[in-house]
Amino acid sequence: MESAAAVADATKKMAELDLTAIKKFAHKNGDALFGYIEECQMDDPNTKGSFGRFLDAGTGSHSLRWMASILHREHLLASTSNGAMSSPSVSMDSYTAITADENMRRRVFDEAQGLGIADKGDVIIGNWKEGVGKDGTIEFGASDTSDGSKLLLEGQQFDTILADYLVGAIDGFSPYFQDLIFSRLVPHLAPGGRLYVIGLQPIPDSVNSPANIMCKIRRVRDACILLANHRCYREYPLDWIERNLQKSGLNVVQSRTYPIRYDHSTMVRQINVGRSKLKLFPSKGMAAEMGKVLDDLEKESLEVTKKQSGGRITLGFDYVVVAERPADD
């Protein structure tokens, strides 16, 4: 049992934290996708709302904030007045967050410190492609690194794994590895544990509706990324995810889709991704002409959204897939 002084010290430290960025997760409607994951975890009789040892397989600020909201859930629920709309009282024992990008690792670690959860887990730089042979076999215990170090998380298992838009991001770090990512993660999932996959249904090349403006923006944005000699993210459809989860030996428990509604500001953010690449184009002339194309798309997107109910178009969806490793595996 903690001493009164220790409790007082912990209460003081909690009061000094700025938890503004994670308060929304204390409301049932704060985040639809993570809210669904919490609902599924509460409904699992084997966990009763505990995520246990948690692995964020492709971390970022958003998933880190959600994890912080779970680690601070008791405090958040006590300090908000959402009533019946309060999020469930889920919990987490510890977390490990992985990223292949050093800048992201530093950003996430700094945010973990600011949110008061740095002592609850680890933020690690690593690439899941390490240790996977050309035939897809995982070479644990056979590292060919010069220092003889083990492979990423070798020998470690977790009760819950999150793949938050991880599959779509792989092409930027480990091209052509998407079909093996789940097989790479399964050894780290404890028998009976769950893997939650969040993804984006790929935006089509074109649609016969006003939403076609978003298809055009996606095409031009990706062209800018490629002309800057960078790699685009490559999203995968829901049915591909479900097939490959099953191929890796997991059972798909359930899934849910969330239609995406784009307003003008959302479209401009994607257009600005393209603009940010212009300085890296092979020539100033090409950059200038592409800049005009992007300007025209911004004008067109404003005209389209003005004509829509609520100023938004609907195109595609995000999805969450719940997969489980058999308890007798």
Side-chain angles (χ1 to χ4, degrees):
M1 181 178 294
E2 289 184 293
S3 67
V7 172
D9 184 57
T11 302
K12 180 182 178 182
K13 289 181 178 179
M14 182 64 69
E16 293 172 347
L17 294 175
D18 181 4
L19 302 182
T20 305
I22 67 173
K23 282 185 177 180
K24 73 169 188 175
F25 295 109
H27 193 286
K28 279 187 177 180
N29 295 332
D31 187 286
L33 279 67
F34 282 126
Y36 174 61
I37 290 175
E38 292 182 11
E39 175 187 320
C40 291
Q41 199 71 8
M42 289 295 293
D43 289 343
D44 183 356
N46 297 316
T47 66
K48 298 179 180 179
S50 172
F51 289 96
R53 298 160 298 170
F54 190 88
L55 171 63
D56 183 356
T59 196
S61 291
H62 191 58
S63 59
L64 189 280
R65 290 173 183 175
W66 174 63
M67 290 189 291
S69 81
I70 296 175
L71 292 165
H72 291 317
R73 185 59 54 94
E74 184 177 347
H75 171 78
L76 289 175
L77 293 178
S79 61
T80 55
S81 55
N82 297 323
M85 296 305 294
S86 293
S87 294
S89 185
V90 291
S91 63
M92 182 181 294
D93 296 339
S94 61
Y95 70 88
T96 299
I98 305 295
T99 177
D101 182 77
E102 177 58 27
N103 290 329
M104 177 62 74
R105 188 200 67 80
R106 288 196 297 266
R107 191 179 312 138
V108 169
F109 179 74
D110 289 345
E111 189 151 18
Q113 286 188 310
L115 292 171
I117 63 167
D119 61 336
K120 302 294 184 181
D122 299 299
V123 182
I124 300 173
I125 187 81
N127 192 318
W128 291 113
K129 191 174 183 179
E130 298 171 1
V132 180
K134 292 182 179 180
D135 60 355
T137 57
I138 302 173
E139 302 169 352
F140 287 125
S143 174
D144 58 0
T145 57
S146 59
D147 61 358
S149 60
K150 292 184 178 181
L151 301 181
L152 180 61
L153 299 186
E154 183 168 347
Q156 298 185 49
Q157 283 195 330
F158 301 85
D159 302 299
T160 313
I161 299 178
L162 172 69
D164 183 25
Y165 298 103
L166 172 62
V167 178
I170 285 175
D171 221 53
F173 300 96
S174 305
Y176 317 117
F177 182 65
Q178 291 89 337
D179 63 318
L180 295 174
I181 183 59
F182 297 135
S183 295
R184 179 64 178 84
L185 293 176
V186 165
H188 300 293
L189 184 61
R194 284 188 166 182
L195 167 61
Y196 290 99
V197 182
I198 298 177
L200 170 68
Q201 190 75 2
I203 296 175
D205 292 333
S206 63
V207 293
N208 187 25
S209 74
N212 190 54
I213 179 60
M214 193 60 207
C215 300
K216 294 167 67 174
I217 291 172
R218 193 270 302 169
R219 293 200 305 269
V220 175
R221 178 204 66 191
D222 287 358
C224 290
I225 293 171
L226 292 170
L227 286 168
N229 201 31
H230 293 167
R231 297 191 66 89
C232 303
Y233 282 8
R234 184 180 183 186
E235 306 296 344
Y236 282 76
L238 174 59
D239 59 339
W240 187 96
I241 295 293
E242 292 179 335
R243 285 197 308 273
N244 281 272
L245 285 168
Q246 292 168 341
K247 286 180 181 178
S248 69
L250 299 178
N251 297 323
V252 175
V253 178
Q254 55 187 311
S255 61
R256 184 175 292 182
T257 61
Y258 297 84
I260 302 174
R261 290 175 56 76
Y262 296 92
D263 60 16
H264 182 242
S265 63
T266 306
M267 296 181 194
V268 171
R269 281 199 295 272
Q270 295 304 311
I271 292 170
N272 285 340
V273 171
R275 286 179 173 137
S276 71
K277 305 297 179 180
L278 296 180
K279 61 182 179 292
L280 301 173
F281 272 31
S283 73
K284 291 183 178 179
M286 182 185 294
E289 291 303 312
M290 185 62 86
K292 294 177 183 178
V293 173
L294 292 166
D295 291 343
D296 289 342
L297 282 174
E298 182 169 348
K299 294 175 184 176
E300 184 180 351
S301 64
L302 179 60
E303 293 171 0
V304 170
T305 51
K306 279 183 176 180
K307 297 176 182 178
Q308 308 307 309
S309 175
R312 296 171 180 264
I313 61 161
T314 301
L315 179 67
F317 55 85
D318 292 300
Y319 55 77
V320 179
V321 182
V322 185
E324 194 171 274
R325 184 174 181 178
D328 56 357
D329 192 356

